Amino acid sequence: MAKEIGLNGIEMQYLRLSLGLNPAQVGTVTGHSEDDVIAWEAGAAEAPGLAQKKLLDIDEVIEMQLLNTTDGIEAMFKKEPKRRLAFVVYPTQAVYAQYNPEFLSSLPLTELYNTSAWRIKKECQLVLEVEVTLVPLDVESYKAFREQNGLGESRESRAKWAAAQLK
Amino acid sequence: MAKEIGLNGIEMQYLRLSLGLNPAQVGTVTGHSEDDVIAWEAGAAEAPGLAQKKLLDIDEVIEMQLLNTTDGIEAMFKKEPKRRLAFVVYPTQAVYAQYNPEFLSSLPLTELYNTSAWRIKKECQLVLEVEVTLVPLDVESYKAFREQNGLGESRESRAKWAAAQLK
């Protein structure tokens, strides 16, 4: 976005909604207060350029994750006949921070990761005809599954647990 | 979406968020209560198939509007050098219902129209390199503009008014 063309109030509001965030969460992500965010969206104050850039950058990260993930899924299904896939998401910030910390710097809130997951699900259905189910990580169930199957904690173990939830 | 594969709670939640709606608004659109919607998203009850279909159909309408509008904008800018465009949105349900009633049957809430407008803005920037500004209709300003310019009420008049707001 050209620097001289900033987002107005309604654009800030629908950018926020498209990311799946409430005003308090936009405050957290941009380092402002919830009241500031409400004022930006009401047009009572212009959102600072850095705050706008932060949200637009996050949207771009989500779009890049969407592209990369659907490319990976497309490659995977060239060899496999099944068209269903489980995708782990994280029901709370604590579970997200513990199990998926590598995303915290680019997508600091679990809501952002889940928004990305929803867009991936939608794209996979439309473009790849692959049915993706979002499976919120159930920590107790996952731990029991690992014990039963002698698995350590890893992204692969989480994916195996999630796939088992589809059956 | 195959009939036997329904959306789970977190999927219903992120579908709702992607449409820019709160639980009460999803209740309005699907003919259920806000409490029902909250229960669906918490996984306490499965969302009825018709409610799921209603939201997925709306998302599809928005995607179709996105495709049709960006096609139209692409055609328009083949002949014009300027790469900026104003797109009228509607700040309240009353203004939406009065000025844009032809969308009420497919996108019953102004939030849904605005969500569509946001996706169009984003797509135009990414794909067409056209800068779209969402301009909420200001009824008093619009009426004064029409009077000044001897214009009747029409989509074209609204577009002219919105374009004048960019200068």
Side-chain angles (χ1 to χ4, degrees), chain A residues 14-27:
Chain A
Y14 281 87
L15 170 54
R16 168 176 67 75
L17 289 168
S18 76
L19 295 173
L21 300 182
N22 61 38
Q25 290 163 334
V26 168

Side-chain angles (χ1 to χ4, degrees), chain A residues 1 5 7-8 10-11 14-15 17-18 59 63 111 114-115 118-119 121-122 125 131 133-134, chain B residues 1 5 7-8 11 14-15 17-18 59 63 111 114-115 118-119 121-122 125 131 133-134:
Chain A
M1 185 155 302
I5 303 170
L7 299 177
N8 63 29
I10 205 160
E11 292 169 338
Y14 281 87
L15 170 54
L17 289 168
S18 76
D59 195 60
E63 291 294 328
E111 287 81 4
N114 293 349
T115 289
W118 172 260
R119 291 191 195 169
K121 174 185 170 68
K122 197 171 130 176
Q125 185 181 21
E131 192 70 39
T133 299
L134 308 186
Chain B
M1 185 156 302
I5 302 172
L7 299 176
N8 63 30
E11 292 169 339
Y14 281 86
L15 171 54
L17 290 167
S18 76
D59 195 61
E63 292 294 327
E111 287 81 3
N114 294 349
T115 289
W118 172 260
R119 291 191 197 169
K121 173 184 170 68
K122 197 172 132 176
Q125 186 180 20
E131 193 71 38
T133 300
L134 307 186

Side-chain angles (χ1 to χ4, degrees), chain A residues 82-101:
Chain A
K82 77 181 168 79
R83 310 299 288 180
R84 288 196 68 192
L85 192 69
F87 195 95
V88 179
V89 294
Y90 300 88
T92 67
Q93 187 66 18
V95 172
Y96 180 57
Q98 183 180 351
Y99 284 94
N100 210 29

